[in-house]
Amino acid sequence: MTMIFKGKGGASVRMAAIFLMGATLAACQSAGDGLDVAGAEKDKSDIERVSFEDLRGYCPTVQLREGTAYFNVYEGDETSQNVRYQAAITDVTRQCKYENGQLAMKVAVAGRVLLGPQGSSGTVKLPIRVAALTGGDEVLYSEIQPYTLEVNASGATQFIYTDSDIRVSQPDARNIVIYAGFDEGPKKAAATN
């Protein structure tokens, strides 16, 4: 049964409908719903604090040197049909923190590995070098780490390598460059008989 309220002059009393809608909406709210503003303060002791010096401090850029963004491994001759796998760096980034007169840096290298015609699922090793140099090419830090990764034949395998051990003296000038890329190190001389 529907009730229609009519006021003077034959007009519907819309106010009753508006009042009922407002009461219905108010009933939908409860103390446990919505944002928990009172409980918003939680334990944040595990979050690393950022100092004012870190925010304003100099953080060197990361660059890829020419020829270090790709790494191919072959089975035999270096031809496209003999590729076991190819790795490519797709992004680099860094994070800096000033501690005890030193600049501590963490460098991350992201990329992917794709198997070639001679490739198969298994473990691959990627030789990744991270180096910090001054503008005058003085080496402040240089380290090659073999990064081990499990790959499969179903497609590209993504990776993220992180070097978090970079420490240099706090710079007086903004003249440090960080390089990241694939580097097998010095080539070994072929054995002669």
Side-chain angles (χ1 to χ4, degrees):
M1 176 166 101
T2 305
M3 294 176 33
I4 298 176
F5 297 98
K6 297 217 177 218
K8 287 188 176 185
S12 296
V13 180
R14 291 185 185 102
M15 292 303 289
I18 292 172
F19 175 75
L20 287 175
M21 283 187 354
T24 303
L25 289 174
C28 290
Q29 295 180 352
S30 66
D33 293 338
L35 295 175
D36 184 12
V37 178
E41 284 300 316
K42 305 225 187 253
D43 181 24
K44 297 177 183 173
S45 59
D46 61 332
I47 296 175
E48 188 175 340
R49 302 278 182 219
V50 177
S51 71
F52 184 71
E53 185 177 31
D54 291 332
L55 287 174
R56 296 201 51 206
Y58 163 64
C59 192
T61 60
V62 181
Q63 299 177 13
L64 292 171
R65 281 193 165 156
E66 187 174 336
T68 65
Y70 297 97
F71 178 68
N72 296 331
V73 174
Y74 298 91
E75 187 71 43
D77 294 334
E78 293 186 6
T79 66
S80 61
Q81 291 304 312
N82 289 337
V83 174
R84 287 184 51 218
Y85 61 89
Q86 180 183 56
I89 295 174
T90 57
D91 202 4
V92 292
T93 189
R94 83 284 190 225
Q95 179 183 26
C96 298
K97 185 166 185 63
Y98 287 87
E99 299 175 324
N100 303 322
Q102 290 188 321
L103 174 58
M105 295 175 280
K106 184 186 293 187
V107 174
V109 177
R112 61 180 169 260
V113 177
L114 187 63
L115 294 176
Q118 299 299 318
S120 60
S121 297
T123 302
V124 300
K125 286 189 179 179
L126 305 176
I128 300 176
R129 179 189 293 273
V130 175
L133 285 74
T134 63
D137 289 334
E138 175 191 355
V139 177
L140 304 174
Y141 174 89
S142 182
E143 195 70 39
I144 297 176
Q145 294 293 328
Y147 183 70
T148 304
L149 178 70
E150 289 293 322
V151 297
N152 58 54
S154 64
T157 302
Q158 297 188 5
F159 70 89
I160 297 177
Y161 166 79
T162 304
D163 186 341
S164 55
D165 296 328
I166 306 166
R167 292 185 173 277
V168 298
S169 295
Q170 188 166 333
D172 295 329
R174 296 176 176 239
N175 65 345
I176 297 175
V177 178
I178 302 171
Y179 293 105
F182 296 115
D183 186 352
E184 295 181 89
K187 300 288 184 191
K188 295 179 181 175
T192 57
N193 291 334

